[in-house]
Amino acid sequence: MRKKIIKITILLLILLVGLGCLNNLFLPEERGNDIWKSFYELPKDTIDMLFIGSSHCFTGFVPMIFNETLNIDSYHIGMAGTSIEQIYFMLIEALKTQKPKIVVIEFFSIRPIKTDSYEAKFIHSAFDGMKLSKNKIEAVNSN
């Protein structure tokens, strides 16, 4: 009986790791996936200013202007339709590899999340590109 439980546990672990690897192969090409992919490629602790929020963030804040004017390195992870709940988990994820001196949160996103099918695509946009982690699981379960 014990050997059977160990075999099942090992099989489940192999499946989870395999699914995590396959996750990146089958992600659709969309803004959220690209943002997370390029974010994870940044060298650790190189961002001075991080912008986070909805489409108002990525259309309103241009990191290159801040970089040139203030002589800093800035980055934005703004995505369309992002709610304040999603921003929380996105910020937690960003702080795993970056320690910005300033975080700018765009507050159009303060609206509460809706649970209809229209909002579901925004949830996917915010979280699908994240690496599989406890934070990602909590983010998906909270929405």
Side-chain angles (χ1 to χ4, degrees):
M1 180 69 171
R2 183 177 172 158
K3 285 184 180 182
K4 193 173 191 176
I5 291 172
I6 291 172
K7 286 180 182 180
I8 291 172
T9 304
I10 291 172
L11 177 64
L12 288 174
L13 287 173
I14 291 170
L15 283 173
L16 283 174
V17 170
L19 288 174
C21 292
L22 288 175
N23 185 38
N24 290 331
L25 293 176
F26 296 106
L27 286 174
E29 292 295 323
E30 61 181 50
R31 180 169 174 72
N33 297 334
D34 292 340
I35 285 177
W36 285 114
K37 182 180 178 187
S38 61
F39 182 81
Y40 291 132
E41 291 172 354
L42 293 171
K44 188 175 180 170
D45 296 330
T46 56
I47 300 299
D48 299 310
M49 180 183 281
L50 179 67
F51 300 99
I52 188 166
S54 70
S55 59
H56 295 257
C57 177
F58 74 79
T59 59
F61 298 113
V62 182
M64 294 305 294
I65 293 173
F66 286 88
N67 295 352
E68 292 171 7
T69 306
L70 302 174
N71 196 27
I72 62 170
D73 288 318
S74 63
Y75 194 85
H76 68 77
I77 50 176
M79 295 177 214
T82 306
S83 69
I84 196 69
E85 292 95 339
Q86 291 165 315
I87 287 174
Y88 169 78
F89 290 104
M90 292 165 65
L91 181 59
I92 297 295
E93 188 69 18
L95 294 177
K96 288 179 180 179
T97 59
Q98 299 294 328
K99 303 292 181 246
K101 295 174 184 94
I102 300 170
V103 176
V104 177
I105 299 175
E106 173 268 313
F107 275 100
F108 185 79
S109 305
I110 201 130
R111 65 176 175 70
I113 194 165
K114 297 175 186 163
T115 56
D116 58 18
S117 60
Y118 177 74
E119 291 286 325
K121 70 180 180 180
F122 297 124
I123 295 169
H124 283 285
S125 177
F127 301 134
D128 282 355
M130 280 185 184
K131 291 180 180 179
L132 184 60
S133 66
K134 181 181 175 190
N135 181 53
K136 181 176 182 174
I137 294 168
E138 287 177 8
V140 171
N141 287 335
S142 74
N143 290 290

